[in-house]
Amino acid sequence: MDSSVRIVVKCPSDALSLTNRAVISPQDKFDKTNHVRVRNSMGEFVFTAEEHSSVKPGQVGFSLPQRKWAKLSINEKIEVSPCQFDPKKETIGVLVVEVDFLNKKSVTPESYDTKKMAVEFNQQFSRQAFTIGQQLVFDFPGRKMLGLVVKEIEAIDPASLSGKEKPKKPSKLKLGVSNPNTEVIFEKAPESSINLVGPATRSGGRQSIINPDWDFQKMGIGGLDKEFSDIFRRAFASRIFPPDLVEEMGLSHVKGILLFGPPGTGKTLMARTIGKMLNAREPQIVNGPEVLNKFVGESEANIRKLFAAAEEEQKRCGINSGLHIIIFDEIDAICKQRGTMTGGTGVHDTVVNQLLSKIDGVDQLNNILLIGMTNRRDLIDEALLRPGRLEVQMEIGLPDENGRVQIFEIYVSQMRKNGKLGEDVHVKELASVTKNYSGAEIAGLVRAAQSMAMNRVITASSKVEVNYEEAKNMRITRGDFEMAMINDIKPAFGVSSESVERYAMNGIVNWGQPVSDVLENGKLVLQQTQESNRTPLVSLLMEGPPGSGKTALAASLAAESGFPFVKVCSPEDMVGFLEGGKCNAIKKIFEDAYKSQLSCVVVDDIERLIDYVPIGPRFSNLVLQALLVLLKKNPPKGKKLMIIGTTSRRDVLEEMEMMTVFSTHIHVSNITKGEHIINVISELDSFSEDEKSTLAKKLSGKKLWIGIKKLLVLLEIVRQADMDVRIPKFLTLLEEEGGLQA
């Protein structure tokens, strides 16, 4: 059917009149479009066409509102031609319509919910052409017939989905084509008695996916710009385009996203705020444990209820169905690996099966987006993680420095606005010293600093009182944040300062060149880890006799490294663990290290970790194999890891082929010279100058073999003795301990 003359006739039926489309004969069908441009003496008008066999070739049926709008008369000759739309420029993002009763004499006081009206409007008129001033008939089920007039049209901006920049101001259109996500705004006609309730300026139905006013900072989300950008690109970009264009491309929408990462990084916060960011139907937010029910079949029924609305709408509207978002917090609670649960009920298995069938079963749904959140991705059934289900798997990691700046700005903005933030508080400085703090920990740090400031204006005597005059002038200062970091809030994936300080409790006693060499070589390895991009994994083994100070040196190097994550893996923390429990504990330490950009793990006393004893000999092969794997495993891309191991049995590690796992070895020796002991005495100030001179003469030329740890114990014993017997007592103890030979 090319451009030609047609005759205007009445619409064949009331049902066709409610479609607000021009009705044509199937023989007059257009090949490439279902929109027509009508020209008469009054101008040009665009309609969406509908085929019906009751219309004869050469005729076009119009309803009364259409004829009134286009000023068409029955049997009038009009020129009809095909009309094409550019989906990138002429797709409607926002449609503003004026609403009133169609029959002014038939009015009712009952209210009309604009939110429900918008849903119904999009279902009835998806992919339909609209023009400014166009008159429509709208049949809202169960209510009086309504008359609508198109007042304003805004084009959608597909570029807004990139998430890299805020959407541009939408352009105005004279005409365009709607889509299932068009935002419909209902406005009450002047002097109309219709009672509109609900969000009159925001329909809340299936509309433009991205709210043009979204702002991460206002929503309380910081440091997740890239993650949100990726979510928009993968999950929402395909849904912004008209369904027919998506169908032509053969494109399938993403049905599931899995957000995983350490606790406190913003996964649940994202769930709470995603409804504000999207102009879609309000998401269903479900906590995993809430689905489970003790009665047989109820857990599976709860899953089916979540998808019921989406199923009903897809059956009724097909590809024009809107997007239904279901958010599962703690999804690992119900989607554990099938066959791993103890007991005979198998409830978890059937729940997983039900969920799989709903997402991607035989009768699959294409109008849903499932967002799962967990910090234990390893627990989730692998069938749920394949493409077509939870296809996009995104790690929400610890925020970098720029992300921490954004998060701090969110939590201090109110204080700054009201003059409660001290002038010495600088957000960038706080962000630089809070390495490896999660978003939740930063929020806790701000609360702790506030409590420090409030505590200054509280007086506690016989009763607790608040000095309200001082409270008015209260400021949260830099010192409050510093005290909060020291005393209250420490990062879960930060420096394990207590264990590091415990192993290097007395500091490092530099008794001679051997210690200086160890420290110098260790610092070179630290520098390599920090600066080299070719070696993301660097491992150092400190081996030497018992008591030579290996653990203290390793802990000291780790503490001085300045790495945001430092953890000690010690046999002391695993007393009583079975083999499996010990392997899991060691594995968790390394997995925590992988979450940080720069990490250091001290694996202390390796022969004790693997339960080696010379009697037998006996050791734990399970723990040994776990260590061999973890010590050689490279951290994830973009992360760096340094491992410092210590052992007193180099021969044992050589037999077990562990020596080759470490990239470099450093020998830590015992004290072998008398001047080394004098250096220790001088540094600790254990004897007077005369006593040191006497000891230097007696120890000159003597052979020694004693560890620094044992020597420090002997010096503390001698310190308690009387002045006149300290030197002979010290020499006797050295001989008895085998550290002094003639």
Side-chain angles (χ1 to χ4, degrees):
M1 175 181 175
D2 299 322
S3 177
S4 57
V5 176
R6 295 291 184 267
I7 302 297
V8 176
V9 297
K10 289 183 179 182
C11 193
S13 67
D14 291 340
L16 288 172
S17 295
L18 294 176
T19 65
N20 293 287
R21 298 188 176 195
V23 186
I24 63 175
S25 169
Q27 298 179 29
D28 290 342
K29 181 181 178 181
F30 290 98
D31 294 331
K32 297 182 180 180
T33 180
N34 61 343
H35 307 294
V36 295
R37 191 183 304 274
V38 174
R39 294 183 181 89
N40 64 359
S41 59
M42 304 304 297
E44 289 187 354
F45 305 90
V46 175
F47 297 91
T48 300
E50 178 85 8
E51 300 175 33
H52 199 270
S53 58
S54 62
V55 177
K56 297 178 181 179
Q59 295 180 344
V60 183
F62 295 96
S63 64
L64 179 60
Q66 291 173 315
R67 298 199 303 272
K68 289 175 65 176
W69 169 55
K71 297 179 176 57
L72 299 172
S73 302
I74 300 298
N75 296 323
E76 178 185 353
K77 292 183 179 181
I78 56 174
E79 186 178 343
V80 181
S81 60
C83 180
Q84 296 280 358
F85 285 92
D86 185 347
K88 294 183 179 180
K89 296 180 180 179
E90 295 179 299
T91 297
I92 300 176
V94 179
L95 183 68
V96 181
V97 294
E98 195 174 79
V99 57
D100 196 1
F101 292 109
L102 185 64
N103 186 352
K104 301 295 179 67
K105 295 180 181 180
S106 177
V107 298
T108 176
E110 61 184 338
S111 60
Y112 285 72
D113 190 336
T114 57
K115 184 174 182 178
K116 294 179 180 178
M117 288 169 63
V119 174
E120 189 65 30
F121 184 95
N122 273 331
Q123 289 175 356
Q124 292 186 23
F125 305 129
S126 178
R127 296 191 292 171
Q128 191 151 329
F130 292 99
T131 309
I132 297 293
Q134 184 175 353
Q135 297 178 21
L136 309 168
V137 178
F138 180 38
D139 181 17
F140 189 44
R143 302 295 175 88
K144 299 291 184 181
M145 205 77 72
L146 301 177
L148 308 179
V149 179
V150 178
K151 303 298 290 185
E152 188 177 337
I153 300 174
E154 290 182 1
I156 204 162
D157 180 17
S160 65
L161 291 173
S162 65
K164 298 178 180 178
E165 57 182 16
K166 296 189 71 173
K168 300 177 182 178
K169 185 177 180 179
S171 59
K172 303 292 184 180
L173 297 176
K174 290 184 178 180
L175 69 148
V177 177
S178 66
N179 70 89
N181 295 312
T182 293
E183 178 180 3
V184 185
I185 299 175
F186 293 95
E187 294 182 352
K188 184 178 177 180
E191 301 180 0
S192 174
S193 59
I194 190 169
N195 181 21
L196 297 180
V197 297
T201 58
R202 280 291 181 267
S203 64
R206 300 183 314 277
Q207 43 192 263
S208 177
I209 287 290
I210 304 303
N211 185 339
D213 298 324
W214 61 266
D215 187 335
F216 292 139
Q217 193 165 2
K218 290 180 182 178
M219 291 181 183
I221 300 178
L224 295 176
D225 300 44
K226 181 182 182 298
E227 287 78 2
F228 272 104
S229 175
D230 290 342
I231 289 175
F232 296 155
R233 177 177 59 83
R234 293 299 307 275
F236 302 131
S238 63
R239 300 180 186 274
I240 201 69
F241 292 99
D244 52 347
L245 180 61
V246 173
E247 196 172 16
E248 289 176 6
M249 295 172 62
L251 178 64
S252 297
H253 299 306
V254 168
K255 298 177 184 176
I257 301 173
L258 179 67
L259 305 177
F260 65 94
T265 51
K267 301 182 298 298
T268 305
L269 179 62
M270 193 183 300
R272 289 200 300 264
T273 56
I274 198 168
K276 301 176 185 177
M277 186 196 338
L278 302 177
N279 272 334
R281 180 173 291 180
E282 186 174 351
Q284 298 182 71
I285 301 178
V286 185
N287 291 319
E290 293 177 357
V291 174
L292 301 179
N293 192 297
K294 65 179 180 179
F295 296 107
V296 176
E298 286 298 313
S299 300
E300 296 87 333
N302 290 337
I303 293 290
R304 290 193 293 271
K305 289 175 185 176
L306 295 174
F307 294 87
E311 286 181 326
E312 185 274 331
E313 190 169 319
Q314 180 161 299
K315 288 179 181 177
R316 187 155 52 97
C317 305
I319 63 173
N320 294 324
S321 174
L323 175 63
H324 292 249
I325 300 174
I326 303 173
I327 298 174
F328 270 99
D329 199 12
E330 304 298 342
I331 194 173
D332 55 280
I334 62 169
C335 293
K336 289 184 173 63
Q337 292 278 354
R338 285 170 289 182
T340 60
M341 298 299 294
T342 57
T345 61
V347 172
H348 282 83
D349 290 2
T350 57
V351 169
V352 174
N353 293 337
Q354 182 71 80
L355 188 59
L356 293 175
S357 66
K358 288 297 181 184
I359 300 174
D360 192 27
V362 177
D363 297 324
Q364 60 180 337
L365 298 172
N366 200 37
N367 61 342
I368 59 167
L369 178 65
L370 180 68
I371 303 178
M373 307 202 179
T374 181
N375 47 34
R376 292 297 306 275
R377 183 177 62 161
D378 55 304
L379 296 180
I380 298 176
D381 191 273
E382 60 183 12
L384 199 61
L385 301 179
R386 72 157 175 81
R389 290 168 181 168
L390 294 183
E391 180 172 341
V392 180
Q393 298 167 34
M394 190 175 302
E395 182 176 8
I396 309 298
L398 297 170
D400 58 13
E401 188 166 334
N402 290 331
R404 295 194 295 273
V405 169
Q406 292 181 20
I407 297 170
F408 269 113
E409 287 289 355
I410 289 168
Y411 289 110
V412 305
S413 59
Q414 191 73 8
M415 292 188 287
R416 182 186 289 121
K417 178 181 177 182
N418 296 309
K420 296 298 181 184
L421 192 66
E423 295 181 357
D424 58 345
V425 177
H426 302 288
V427 168
K428 290 186 177 180
E429 182 184 5
L430 288 174
S432 66
V433 297
T434 51
K435 296 176 180 177
N436 279 22
Y437 274 71
S438 67
E441 287 163 346
I442 291 175
L445 181 65
V446 174
R447 287 193 297 270
Q450 291 168 336
S451 69
M452 292 281 182
M454 290 188 289
N455 193 56
R456 291 198 299 271
V457 299
I458 296 175
T459 56
S461 52
S462 58
K463 61 179 180 178
V464 178
E465 296 179 344
V466 177
N467 189 329
Y468 291 103
E469 290 299 322
E470 290 185 11
K472 291 180 181 178
N473 300 318
M474 180 180 63
R475 299 287 185 276
I476 289 82
T477 65
R478 176 182 177 183
D480 295 326
F481 280 98
E482 291 175 349
M483 292 301 296
M485 280 189 281
I486 294 172
N487 298 322
D488 295 329
I489 307 297
K490 296 181 180 179
F493 301 97
V495 178
S496 181
S497 55
E498 293 180 0
S499 60
V500 172
E501 290 170 1
R502 184 172 79 245
Y503 293 117
M505 183 172 54
N506 298 315
I508 299 299
V509 180
N510 193 342
W511 47 262
Q513 191 61 40
V515 178
S516 299
D517 291 342
V518 170
L519 292 173
E520 184 180 350
N521 292 334
K523 289 177 181 177
L524 286 175
V525 177
L526 286 174
Q527 188 175 352
Q528 176 192 356
T529 308
Q530 287 177 314
E531 299 180 3
S532 175
N533 294 322
R534 296 186 176 184
T535 52
L537 174 64
V538 178
S539 54
L540 164 66
L541 178 65
M542 291 186 173
E543 51 86 15
S548 57
K550 302 179 296 296
T551 302
L553 286 167
S556 177
L557 281 173
E560 294 176 5
S561 67
F563 288 8
F565 180 93
V566 175
K567 193 83 170 180
V568 179
C569 177
S570 171
E572 293 180 9
D573 302 324
M574 302 180 192
V575 174
F577 281 28
L578 298 177
E579 285 184 308
K582 187 177 290 189
C583 289
N584 288 332
I586 297 171
K587 181 183 176 184
K588 186 179 186 305
I589 291 174
F590 279 84
E591 287 179 344
D592 290 348
Y594 298 149
K595 295 180 173 71
S596 174
Q597 296 292 325
L598 202 57
S599 307
C600 179
V601 175
V602 178
V603 184
D604 186 39
D605 215 354
I606 295 175
E607 64 272 14
R608 293 281 74 78
L609 273 177
I610 61 177
D611 298 328
Y612 171 80
V613 289
I615 302 173
R618 181 183 178 278
F619 65 93
S620 170
N621 187 55
L622 191 65
V623 178
L624 172 63
Q625 297 304 322
L627 278 175
L628 287 173
V629 171
L630 293 171
L631 291 174
K632 292 191 294 184
K633 182 180 178 181
N634 282 324
K637 186 177 181 181
K639 310 292 178 68
K640 294 183 178 181
L641 173 63
M642 178 178 179
I643 302 171
I644 304 177
T646 70
T647 182
S648 301
R649 296 299 303 268
R650 174 173 181 148
D651 56 326
V652 172
L653 266 61
E654 285 179 343
E655 289 183 12
M656 296 179 177
E657 299 181 351
M658 286 195 73
M659 294 296 292
T660 56
V661 172
F662 292 91
S663 51
T664 185
H665 309 147
I666 295 179
H667 178 71
V668 182
S669 67
N670 275 346
I671 294 174
T672 58
K673 296 181 180 180
E675 55 264 29
H676 292 161
I677 292 183
I678 301 303
N679 290 339
V680 175
I681 293 172
S682 299
E683 189 165 337
L684 298 179
D685 200 19
S686 302
F687 292 93
S688 65
E689 291 297 327
D690 292 338
E691 288 174 323
K692 283 194 287 185
S693 299
T694 303
L695 280 172
K697 292 177 183 178
K698 291 185 175 293
L699 295 174
S700 178
K702 298 289 186 180
K703 293 182 179 180
L704 296 168
W705 183 255
I706 188 169
I708 183 65
K709 191 173 181 179
K710 176 65 71 175
L711 179 61
L712 293 176
V713 173
L714 297 182
L715 288 173
E716 285 301 312
I717 293 174
V718 172
R719 190 192 292 269
Q720 316 305 319
D722 294 334
M723 294 288 293
D724 54 342
V725 298
R726 291 205 298 181
I727 291 178
K729 181 68 174 176
F730 179 61
L731 294 173
T732 301
L733 289 173
L734 278 178
E735 290 179 0
E736 290 176 352
E737 294 298 331
L740 178 63
Q741 301 176 17

